[in-house]
Amino acid sequence: MDRRNFIKSGSIAAAATSILPDTPLFAQNNKKIRLAFIGVGLRGRNHVALALRREDIDVVAICDIQEESLASCRKQFQKANKKLPKEYTGGVDAYKKLLEKEKLDAVVIATPWQFHKDQAVDSMKAGLYVGCEVIAGLTVDDHWEVVKTSEQTGKPYMTLENVCYRRDVMAVLNMVRQNLFGELIHLEGGYQHDLREVLFNNGKQPYGGGVEYGAKAMSEAQWRTQFNIDQDGDLYPTHGLGPLMHYVNINHGNRMTNMVSFSSKARGLANYVQKTSPGHPNAKIQYKNGDVTTTLINCANGETLLLSHDVHLPRPYSIGFRVQGTEGLWMDLNNGIYIEGKSAKGHAWDAADEWLKKYDHPLWAKYANDAAGAGHGGMDWFVFNAFIESVKQNRQTPIDVYDSVSMSVITPLSTLSLAEGNKSVEIPDFTNGKWKERKVVFALDDSGF
């Protein structure tokens, strides 16, 4: 594809190499990489399934502290007629033995949030590429440690934020770069998803069927619910923020400067427990996480970003994207696009589908068949493929460590803003000023990144 017809003039550049060893890009394109998985619960096994579809990956080891997860993972390898990987288990530090004993190129981390920072830092210190599920860390200091470790070791860290690769999201990115919306002014996104059956179950199935959490529950309810009990803030900002960052070039000529958060009262989870199991003690818990948390962010170039975290109340799933500029806007909630002077009628929405089809991103146009059957409508394939190809080609990941921590640090910062009475808080510049010169690298063409 001719990039000049896809990207606005001046936006193309080679991937940043400031945290990579001095080796030629693309030198190892035909390499079969040695990969390990730290955490093979439901999400980890989604990634394992993608790895087993490929001939350029040798999954040499898996690590988990629960036999049930390991057993389910074994079945994946057996069904695919692939050699069983070595297993590491026995405690939360079992991954350290894996890092010490195995010769690897990369790890994929899909454990509970509280373990991500230590596992990522230790993996980079072991000389490995890290692909990590959200969140990067629990505190601002955690995020700085991830950045400094990546810089010191020269090993890339990539948050595996799949929504950045959603088909409509990438088509709109194509439209943004072709200036269909004009100069961007205001953007919105978030995580608006009824998680009540994720946060509670009966201990026999991963979703629903009861109102238990913690040791009595299965899967995410074993650990994720506790965050909603203990912490008020946007606990899951990356699904909405990751794509917005690419639209307004955060860390690549722009940055987020400061933010403020507001949180509603918390009623949804207690009401759900009481409705599902009247009189259950979990209905009397004082859940700290407000049912709807709203965060407003300022950018250096003058745009505003609005994030919403809404997971405790009955509602259909949505991200709630809005991309608005001087010439028009896209909103996913009403599947609508309006471009002044180009839409069918003035002051009336066009159905977005025709626009999205016309501006389908070249990555999707090229690889849609490869992604067929992968999780979350295929976008899991794209984010996983981008990470694996980066490892194979010994190049920087398209979502790098600075992008990763920037979309994740909103969680502790929103908690701070709320704790201090909706105070505006500064957002760290993890690039230490390099954002002014760093060029756009994400999804410039159909090369896979």
Side-chain angles (χ1 to χ4, degrees), residues 300-346:
N301 291 347
E303 305 90 348
T304 51
L305 312 178
L306 184 68
L307 301 180
S308 178
H309 181 260
D310 172 1
V311 301
H312 301 162
L313 301 169
R315 61 161 301 128
Y317 171 84
S318 74
I319 297 293
F321 281 122
R322 171 174 166 182
V323 177
Q324 188 167 15
T326 56
E327 300 299 322
L329 74 164
W330 165 61
M331 294 181 68
D332 71 339
L333 280 175
N334 68 340
N335 192 35
I337 287 178
Y338 177 72
I339 306 295
E340 189 172 51
K342 296 182 180 180
S343 287
K345 298 179 181 179

Side-chain angles (χ1 to χ4, degrees), residues 29 38 117 128 130 327 426:
N29 192 28
I38 301 175
K117 186 266 294 184
L128 307 180
V130 172
E327 300 299 322
E426 293 186 2

Side-chain angles (χ1 to χ4, degrees), residues 13-23 25 124 129 146-157 251-252 394-397 399-403 429-439 441:
T17 57
S18 60
I19 56 173
L20 277 176
D22 186 19
T23 52
L25 297 183
M124 287 186 284
Y129 273 68
V146 170
V147 169
K148 291 175 181 178
T149 303
S150 182
E151 291 176 336
Q152 291 166 0
T153 61
K155 304 311 298 185
Y157 173 102
N251 295 327
H252 304 271
N394 196 35
R395 62 179 283 171
Q396 182 54 264
T397 52
I399 300 173
D400 67 14
V401 67
Y402 306 116
D403 303 328
D429 174 15
F430 292 104
T431 74
N432 285 314
K434 294 192 291 290
W435 64 271
K436 297 177 182 179
E437 305 298 332
R438 299 176 81 233
K439 303 300 182 182
V441 299

Side-chain angles (χ1 to χ4, degrees), residues 153-225:
T153 61
K155 304 311 298 185
Y157 173 102
M158 178 176 173
T159 286
L160 300 174
E161 180 43 73
N162 56 2
V163 180
C164 291
Y165 289 91
R166 205 172 85 177
R167 193 165 196 166
D168 59 342
V169 166
M170 296 198 75
V172 171
L173 178 63
N174 193 358
M175 295 178 70
V176 166
R177 288 173 171 173
Q178 295 195 39
N179 206 35
L180 268 294
F181 301 108
E183 182 179 358
L184 296 189
I185 304 297
H186 176 76
L187 301 89
E188 298 180 9
Y191 192 54
Q192 301 175 133
H193 189 186
D194 182 354
L195 292 185
R196 294 174 298 172
E197 290 193 349
V198 173
L199 298 175
F200 298 100
N201 59 53
N202 59 7
K204 300 177 182 179
Q205 61 194 51
Y207 305 123
V211 294
E212 301 295 347
Y213 76 94
K216 296 180 180 180
M218 275 191 70
S219 193
E220 289 178 74
Q222 292 181 329
W223 57 271
R224 188 168 180 172
T225 313

Side-chain angles (χ1 to χ4, degrees), residues 35-262:
L35 181 65
F37 288 88
I38 301 175
V40 289
L42 287 178
R43 187 59 183 152
R45 295 198 298 276
N46 289 156
H47 292 304
V48 169
L50 291 171
L52 293 175
R53 291 170 59 162
R54 304 176 66 117
E55 297 302 322
D56 55 357
I57 295 176
D58 182 12
V59 180
V60 299
I62 58 175
C63 178
D64 204 287
I65 63 173
Q66 295 187 337
E67 171 58 27
E68 183 178 6
S69 293
L70 292 169
S72 295
C73 195
R74 283 182 215 122
K75 293 179 181 178
Q76 289 181 284
F77 284 83
Q78 292 165 346
K79 185 176 180 179
N81 293 316
K82 296 289 184 74
K83 179 182 177 182
L84 288 174
K86 294 182 181 178
E87 295 181 4
Y88 291 83
T89 189
V92 294
D93 287 337
Y95 76 94
K96 294 182 179 180
K97 295 181 181 179
L98 181 155
L99 297 177
E100 177 185 343
K101 294 184 177 181
E102 300 297 333
K103 183 179 180 181
L104 300 167
D105 298 301
V107 296
V108 169
I109 297 171
T111 52
W113 301 335
Q114 59 265 37
F115 302 123
H116 286 181
K117 186 266 294 184
D118 287 342
Q119 291 168 346
V121 165
D122 290 341
S123 296
M124 287 186 284
K125 288 181 178 179
L128 307 180
Y129 273 68
V130 172
C132 187
E133 274 296 327
V134 300
I135 301 291
L138 301 185
T139 67
V140 176
D141 286 344
D142 284 350
H143 290 77
W144 274 113
E145 187 174 354
V146 170
V147 169
K148 291 175 181 178
T149 303
S150 182
E151 291 176 336
Q152 291 166 0
T153 61
K155 304 311 298 185
Y157 173 102
M158 178 176 173
T159 286
L160 300 174
E161 180 43 73
N162 56 2
V163 180
C164 291
Y165 289 91
R166 205 172 85 177
R167 193 165 196 166
D168 59 342
V169 166
M170 296 198 75
V172 171
L173 178 63
N174 193 358
M175 295 178 70
V176 166
R177 288 173 171 173
Q178 295 195 39
N179 206 35
L180 268 294
F181 301 108
E183 182 179 358
L184 296 189
I185 304 297
H186 176 76
L187 301 89
E188 298 180 9
Y191 192 54
Q192 301 175 133
H193 189 186
D194 182 354
L195 292 185
R196 294 174 298 172
E197 290 193 349
V198 173
L199 298 175
F200 298 100
N201 59 53
N202 59 7
K204 300 177 182 179
Q205 61 194 51
Y207 305 123
V211 294
E212 301 295 347
Y213 76 94
K216 296 180 180 180
M218 275 191 70
S219 193
E220 289 178 74
Q222 292 181 329
W223 57 271
R224 188 168 180 172
T225 313
Q226 194 66 48
F227 283 94
N228 294 266
I229 294 172
D230 295 340
Q231 184 174 351
D232 195 12
D234 188 332
L235 301 182
Y236 209 69
T238 68
H239 279 351
L241 184 54
L244 302 189
M245 287 173 54
H246 292 136
Y247 294 142
V248 293
N249 299 328
I250 297 300
N251 295 327
H252 304 271
N254 197 4
R255 67 174 291 253
M256 300 180 291
T257 58
N258 64 301
M259 53 165 278
V260 61
S261 292
F262 293 84

